[in-house]
Amino acid sequence: MDSPRNLLLLFVLFVYTLAVAFAGDIVHQDDIAPKKPGCENNFVLVKVPTWVDHEEGSEYVGVGARFGPTLESKEKHANQTTLTLADPPDCCSTPKNKLTGEVILVYRGNCSFTTKAKVAENAGASAVLIVNNETELFKMVCEANETAINISIPVVMLPQDAGASLEKSLKNNSSVSVQLYSPKRPLVDIAEVFLWLMAVGTILSASYWSAWSAREAANEQDKLLKDASDEFLSTESTGSGGMVDINMTSAVLFVVIASCFLVMLYKLMSFWFVEVLVVLFCIGGVEGLQTCLVALLSCFRWFEQAAESFVKVPFFGAVSYLTLAVSPFCIAFAVVWAVFRRINFAWIGQDILGIALIITVLQIVRVPNLKVGTVLLSCAFLYDIFWVFVSKWWFNESVMIVVSSFSKTF
């Protein structure tokens, strides 16, 4: 693998690492208040699937309030209910529109959460969706001086972008309906186990491949030692085989550049920018998937001749016939994923492309010693903490969470 392709893969891995790092906890404490009768619920994440004009739309994630009844834990038992806008939007006074069991969309501010819930309940609403004034979610608690709290409808907070999307649909005179349910967290989360196995499997596969490649290179070196002269060895046996060693400076610069790139995403995040990131990921995914498939198929004797026969291709140099045969499939796979990436099971294609990319890059990048590895991981640890939590002090909101929330809408 030549240097330009190495640099391209390293850049795409950098972008992909940022995308993976965007996933994080979006719930933060809004206020510290003791539990009291009528206000003692555990905070739970609530799923809010939507339907626009009777067609399935986006699914949002909110957080339930400390007050009100508990929600259904299974989607099939949750009622599909019409959504309507509050008038006035803050729902701090009796709504002007007549409610007959609808879910009401309310904006945060001007009065307490419990006041909004009580006003909506008295007006005939079946549930309240409170839209936060930030992209993050906050836990809704009761006021410190409130007593005898008796709210009998569920109250859920949604992030700002989800509320804006729902409001836009309602103002376009579309029929919008929602479901509210809070799935119970199992003792053993199968998704977490799968993620762990996928991560460990990726590292093990890359490690085995790297060790196998090193052994093959050593065997070739032994053959040269037997068959070639000392002069030939001194000129031909040098070189790193396309490996890129990370030193102390590179480890620190990686995190610094990652921080700069994250700020750029925060400032410039838009639809076209997300599309650029998708294209870059597809390019890296195609290269990674192609490399992995060629290496895997080369192990079978049916493909040995195709893997060892080369043809000269403009701009790419010598390319094996096996690579030419595999490339169209890899390109088609990435294009199909990019086009249909918003459907429910598109994560399968994304994981395949991402795993192939990481395995390939691990054949290029090498951490030479424990000292460099410690510095790299320590810097990455501080990077994550800073941009998730500390960045609020400078930007008034978590930079990483804002970028994550925005990118998920596309």
Short mmCIF file of all heavy atoms in Angstrom, two decimals, residues 205-230:
data_model
loop_
_atom_site.label_atom_id
_atom_site.label_comp_id
_atom_site.label_asym_id
_atom_site.label_seq_id
_atom_site.Cartn_x
_atom_site.Cartn_y
_atom_site.Cartn_z
N SER A 205 -8.76 -9.60 15.11
CA SER A 205 -8.58 -9.87 13.68
C SER A 205 -7.40 -9.07 13.13
O SER A 205 -6.56 -9.60 12.39
CB SER A 205 -9.86 -9.54 12.91
OG SER A 205 -10.94 -10.32 13.36
N ALA A 206 -7.37 -7.79 13.49
CA ALA A 206 -6.28 -6.94 13.01
C ALA A 206 -4.94 -7.39 13.57
O ALA A 206 -3.93 -7.39 12.87
CB ALA A 206 -6.55 -5.49 13.39
N SER A 207 -4.93 -7.81 14.85
CA SER A 207 -3.68 -8.26 15.47
C SER A 207 -3.18 -9.54 14.81
O SER A 207 -1.97 -9.68 14.54
CB SER A 207 -3.90 -8.49 16.97
OG SER A 207 -4.30 -7.29 17.60
N TYR A 208 -4.10 -10.47 14.56
CA TYR A 208 -3.70 -11.73 13.91
C TYR A 208 -3.17 -11.46 12.50
O TYR A 208 -2.14 -12.03 12.10
CB TYR A 208 -4.88 -12.68 13.85
CG TYR A 208 -4.57 -13.97 13.13
CD1 TYR A 208 -3.89 -15.00 13.76
CD2 TYR A 208 -4.95 -14.14 11.79
CE1 TYR A 208 -3.58 -16.18 13.10
CE2 TYR A 208 -4.66 -15.31 11.12
CZ TYR A 208 -3.98 -16.33 11.78
OH TYR A 208 -3.68 -17.49 11.10
N TRP A 209 -3.85 -10.62 11.79
CA TRP A 209 -3.43 -10.29 10.42
C TRP A 209 -2.05 -9.62 10.43
O TRP A 209 -1.18 -9.94 9.62
CB TRP A 209 -4.46 -9.37 9.78
CG TRP A 209 -4.22 -9.11 8.32
CD1 TRP A 209 -3.30 -9.71 7.51
CD2 TRP A 209 -4.90 -8.16 7.50
NE1 TRP A 209 -3.37 -9.20 6.24
CE2 TRP A 209 -4.35 -8.25 6.20
CE3 TRP A 209 -5.93 -7.27 7.73
CZ2 TRP A 209 -4.80 -7.46 5.16
CZ3 TRP A 209 -6.38 -6.47 6.68
CH2 TRP A 209 -5.82 -6.58 5.42
N SER A 210 -1.85 -8.70 11.37
CA SER A 210 -0.56 -8.02 11.46
C SER A 210 0.56 -9.01 11.80
O SER A 210 1.65 -8.96 11.22
CB SER A 210 -0.63 -6.93 12.53
OG SER A 210 0.58 -6.24 12.63
N ALA A 211 0.29 -9.92 12.76
CA ALA A 211 1.31 -10.92 13.14
C ALA A 211 1.60 -11.87 11.98
O ALA A 211 2.76 -12.23 11.73
CB ALA A 211 0.83 -11.70 14.36
N TRP A 212 0.56 -12.26 11.26
CA TRP A 212 0.74 -13.15 10.11
C TRP A 212 1.56 -12.47 9.02
O TRP A 212 2.45 -13.07 8.42
CB TRP A 212 -0.63 -13.55 9.57
CG TRP A 212 -0.56 -14.48 8.39
CD1 TRP A 212 -0.41 -15.83 8.39
CD2 TRP A 212 -0.66 -14.09 7.00
NE1 TRP A 212 -0.40 -16.32 7.11
CE2 TRP A 212 -0.55 -15.29 6.24
CE3 TRP A 212 -0.83 -12.88 6.34
CZ2 TRP A 212 -0.61 -15.28 4.85
CZ3 TRP A 212 -0.88 -12.87 4.97
CH2 TRP A 212 -0.78 -14.07 4.23
N SER A 213 1.27 -11.17 8.78
CA SER A 213 2.03 -10.42 7.78
C SER A 213 3.50 -10.30 8.17
O SER A 213 4.40 -10.42 7.34
CB SER A 213 1.43 -9.02 7.58
OG SER A 213 0.08 -9.11 7.14
N ALA A 214 3.74 -10.06 9.48
CA ALA A 214 5.12 -9.96 9.96
C ALA A 214 5.85 -11.29 9.80
O ALA A 214 7.04 -11.32 9.44
CB ALA A 214 5.12 -9.52 11.42
N ARG A 215 5.16 -12.38 10.06
CA ARG A 215 5.78 -13.70 9.90
C ARG A 215 6.11 -13.98 8.44
O ARG A 215 7.19 -14.50 8.12
CB ARG A 215 4.85 -14.77 10.44
CG ARG A 215 5.46 -16.18 10.44
CD ARG A 215 4.47 -17.18 10.97
NE ARG A 215 3.29 -17.26 10.10
CZ ARG A 215 2.23 -18.04 10.35
NH1 ARG A 215 2.20 -18.76 11.45
NH2 ARG A 215 1.22 -18.06 9.52
N GLU A 216 5.20 -13.63 7.55
CA GLU A 216 5.45 -13.82 6.12
C GLU A 216 6.64 -12.97 5.66
O GLU A 216 7.47 -13.43 4.87
CB GLU A 216 4.20 -13.44 5.31
CG GLU A 216 3.04 -14.42 5.48
CD GLU A 216 3.37 -15.78 4.93
OE1 GLU A 216 3.84 -15.87 3.78
OE2 GLU A 216 3.16 -16.77 5.67
N ALA A 217 6.72 -11.74 6.19
CA ALA A 217 7.84 -10.88 5.82
C ALA A 217 9.15 -11.46 6.33
O ALA A 217 10.19 -11.40 5.65
CB ALA A 217 7.63 -9.48 6.39
N ALA A 218 9.12 -12.04 7.55
CA ALA A 218 10.33 -12.66 8.10
C ALA A 218 10.76 -13.87 7.27
O ALA A 218 11.95 -14.10 7.04
CB ALA A 218 10.08 -13.07 9.55
N ASN A 219 9.77 -14.66 6.81
CA ASN A 219 10.09 -15.81 5.97
C ASN A 219 10.72 -15.37 4.65
O ASN A 219 11.67 -16.00 4.16
CB ASN A 219 8.83 -16.64 5.70
CG ASN A 219 8.32 -17.32 6.95
OD1 ASN A 219 9.08 -17.55 7.90
ND2 ASN A 219 7.04 -17.68 6.96
N GLU A 220 10.19 -14.31 4.08
CA GLU A 220 10.76 -13.79 2.83
C GLU A 220 12.18 -13.28 3.07
O GLU A 220 13.08 -13.46 2.23
CB GLU A 220 9.89 -12.64 2.30
CG GLU A 220 8.54 -13.08 1.75
CD GLU A 220 8.70 -13.96 0.53
OE1 GLU A 220 9.64 -13.76 -0.26
OE2 GLU A 220 7.86 -14.88 0.37
N GLN A 221 12.40 -12.68 4.25
CA GLN A 221 13.73 -12.19 4.57
C GLN A 221 14.73 -13.35 4.70
O GLN A 221 15.87 -13.26 4.26
CB GLN A 221 13.68 -11.39 5.88
CG GLN A 221 14.96 -10.70 6.27
CD GLN A 221 15.22 -9.46 5.41
OE1 GLN A 221 14.43 -9.12 4.55
NE2 GLN A 221 16.35 -8.82 5.66
N ASP A 222 14.26 -14.44 5.30
CA ASP A 222 15.12 -15.62 5.43
C ASP A 222 15.52 -16.18 4.07
O ASP A 222 16.65 -16.60 3.85
CB ASP A 222 14.41 -16.69 6.26
CG ASP A 222 14.30 -16.30 7.72
OD1 ASP A 222 15.08 -15.43 8.15
OD2 ASP A 222 13.43 -16.85 8.43
N LYS A 223 14.56 -16.18 3.15
CA LYS A 223 14.85 -16.67 1.80
C LYS A 223 15.90 -15.79 1.12
O LYS A 223 16.80 -16.27 0.42
CB LYS A 223 13.58 -16.72 0.96
CG LYS A 223 12.58 -17.78 1.41
CD LYS A 223 11.35 -17.76 0.53
CE LYS A 223 10.33 -18.81 0.99
NZ LYS A 223 9.11 -18.78 0.14
N LEU A 224 15.74 -14.47 1.32
CA LEU A 224 16.72 -13.56 0.74
C LEU A 224 18.11 -13.76 1.33
O LEU A 224 19.12 -13.67 0.64
CB LEU A 224 16.27 -12.11 0.94
CG LEU A 224 15.06 -11.64 0.13
CD1 LEU A 224 14.66 -10.24 0.55
CD2 LEU A 224 15.36 -11.68 -1.36
N LEU A 225 18.14 -14.05 2.63
CA LEU A 225 19.42 -14.28 3.29
C LEU A 225 20.13 -15.50 2.71
O LEU A 225 21.36 -15.56 2.64
CB LEU A 225 19.21 -14.46 4.79
CG LEU A 225 18.90 -13.20 5.60
CD1 LEU A 225 18.47 -13.55 7.01
CD2 LEU A 225 20.13 -12.30 5.63
N LYS A 226 19.35 -16.47 2.30
CA LYS A 226 19.94 -17.70 1.76
C LYS A 226 20.33 -17.55 0.30
O LYS A 226 21.30 -18.14 -0.16
CB LYS A 226 18.94 -18.85 1.90
CG LYS A 226 18.68 -19.23 3.36
CD LYS A 226 17.64 -20.34 3.44
CE LYS A 226 17.35 -20.71 4.89
NZ LYS A 226 16.31 -21.77 5.00
N ASP A 227 19.54 -16.81 -0.45
CA ASP A 227 19.73 -16.79 -1.90
C ASP A 227 20.45 -15.56 -2.44
O ASP A 227 20.90 -15.57 -3.59
CB ASP A 227 18.36 -16.87 -2.61
CG ASP A 227 17.61 -18.13 -2.21
OD1 ASP A 227 18.27 -19.12 -1.82
OD2 ASP A 227 16.36 -18.12 -2.28
N ALA A 228 20.54 -14.50 -1.65
CA ALA A 228 21.09 -13.25 -2.19
C ALA A 228 22.42 -12.92 -1.52
O ALA A 228 22.77 -13.43 -0.47
CB ALA A 228 20.11 -12.10 -1.99
N SER A 229 23.15 -12.06 -2.15
CA SER A 229 24.45 -11.63 -1.61
C SER A 229 24.25 -10.57 -0.55
O SER A 229 23.18 -9.94 -0.44
CB SER A 229 25.31 -11.07 -2.74
OG SER A 229 24.70 -9.91 -3.27
N ASP A 230 25.29 -10.32 0.24
CA ASP A 230 25.21 -9.30 1.27
C ASP A 230 24.95 -7.92 0.67
O ASP A 230 24.25 -7.08 1.23
CB ASP A 230 26.49 -9.28 2.09
CG ASP A 230 26.64 -10.54 2.92
OD1 ASP A 230 25.61 -11.21 3.16
OD2 ASP A 230 27.78 -10.84 3.32
#
